[in-house]
Amino acid sequence: MSLSETTLSYIETIKGFMDPEEGRALHDMALSVLSDFPYALSVEIGSYCGKSTIYIGDAVRQRSGLLVSVDHHYGSEENQPGEAYFDPDLADAETGGMSSLVVFRRTIRGANLEDVVVPVVAPSRMASQVVNGDIGFLFIDGGHSMPAALDDYRLWATRVMTGGVLAIHDVFPNPEDGGRPPYEIYKLAMASGLFEELKGVKSLRFLRRL
Ligand code: SAH
Ligand code: MG
């Protein structure tokens, strides 16, 4: 079932970096791949305030699955005070940085997804050591530094099961449109021989594991 009007208007109220067209594509792709693999895990790297989590979570709920959403919730470089994507509402006086954790929980609760989404509050690398099982749908939208993006690719993307789908956000072939690392890992995935491209929606790329 496609996203309800109620869910779509709730999503509009959530802070974040997920374009509606890309979000719908994420939802529809998760719904479709999980119909083939009902027991496979879905994983999202980069929860922030939970916007993409609702798009994917809605599909995962329909397939009676679980969605592991990984984020240390301290924000990426560009989300820190003084940087371009800092949101003062998320300022954390205790650390002098930011935290999206409280808002993320509120989002998931408000979307009635607390029995679908398993928040993992840890860096992607640590989380990869404790989350096991075959991954049917993986969404990479975490840190945009090269080390962070490489961790996400090497530690997670390679674990997508045959027939499963890897989605990568912020893939910008033209350097003027945005940072390199997500594009670099997209290229790595394509060069690996492990994936074939299914489709692209704006900066989102969907690859199927061979
Ligand atoms: N998917 C979100 C946006 C994610 S923004 C949406 O729909 O709005 C990227 C997120 O990745 C930030 O919240 C940041 O804290 C997280 N992040 C950055 N580096 C990370 C790392 N190494 N491990 C886990 N999370 C990381
Ligand atoms: Mg993104």
Side-chain angles (χ1 to χ4, degrees):
M1 231 169 59
S2 53
L3 288 150
S4 71
E5 287 307 319
T6 319
T7 306
L8 286 169
S9 23
Y10 181 64
I11 290 174
E12 269 180 40
T13 68
I14 308 301
K15 294 175 186 297
F17 306 105
M18 186 44 57
D19 168 274
E21 202 184 317
E22 293 176 330
R24 280 174 195 259
L26 274 178
H27 173 271
D28 295 352
M29 185 60 77
L31 202 57
S32 139
V33 66
L34 295 173
S35 69
D36 294 334
F37 306 108
Y39 300 108
L41 207 56
S42 296
V43 177
E44 157 178 81
I45 314 290
S47 333
Y48 194 58
C49 296
K51 205 175 182 90
S52 51
T53 320
I54 308 177
Y55 283 111
I56 304 168
D58 185 276
V60 170
R61 171 170 40 208
Q62 293 186 55
R63 298 293 180 238
S64 309
L66 291 175
L67 169 61
V68 174
S69 184
V70 177
D71 200 313
H72 48 49
H73 287 283
Y74 287 133
S76 298
E77 288 86 343
E78 64 272 22
N79 307 127
Q80 303 308 312
E83 301 300 324
Y85 294 95
F86 173 62
D87 182 334
D89 293 350
L90 303 178
D92 183 356
E94 246 174 77
T95 61
M98 61 141 283
S99 173
S100 46
L101 183 54
V102 169
V103 177
F104 175 72
R105 270 201 108 167
R106 189 184 302 138
T107 299
I108 299 313
R109 194 165 55 240
N112 282 315
L113 284 171
E114 285 191 301
D115 55 351
V116 173
V117 177
V118 183
V120 174
V121 184
S124 159
R125 173 178 280 266
M126 270 175 80
S128 74
Q129 293 179 266
V130 295
V131 177
N132 294 301
D134 286 337
I135 302 177
F137 184 79
L138 172 66
F139 176 47
I140 296 183
D141 192 20
H144 285 175
S145 69
M146 202 58 213
L150 277 177
D151 273 356
D152 295 345
Y153 176 68
R154 292 189 180 135
L155 304 173
W156 291 98
T158 47
R159 291 173 46 195
V160 173
M161 60 201 283
T162 299
V165 168
L166 161 65
I168 308 177
H169 197 225
D170 304 308
V171 172
F172 298 115
N174 181 352
E176 283 171 16
D177 296 334
R180 300 287 73 207
Y183 178 61
E184 294 298 336
I185 63 166
Y186 157 78
K187 282 201 301 186
L188 275 181
M190 290 308 295
S192 70
L194 297 175
F195 295 94
E196 66 177 356
E197 183 154 351
L198 284 178
K199 70 176 200 168
V201 177
K202 296 189 173 176
S203 78
L204 189 59
R205 295 291 179 282
F206 292 104
L207 314 182
R208 190 205 314 270
R209 176 77 194 253
L210 297 167

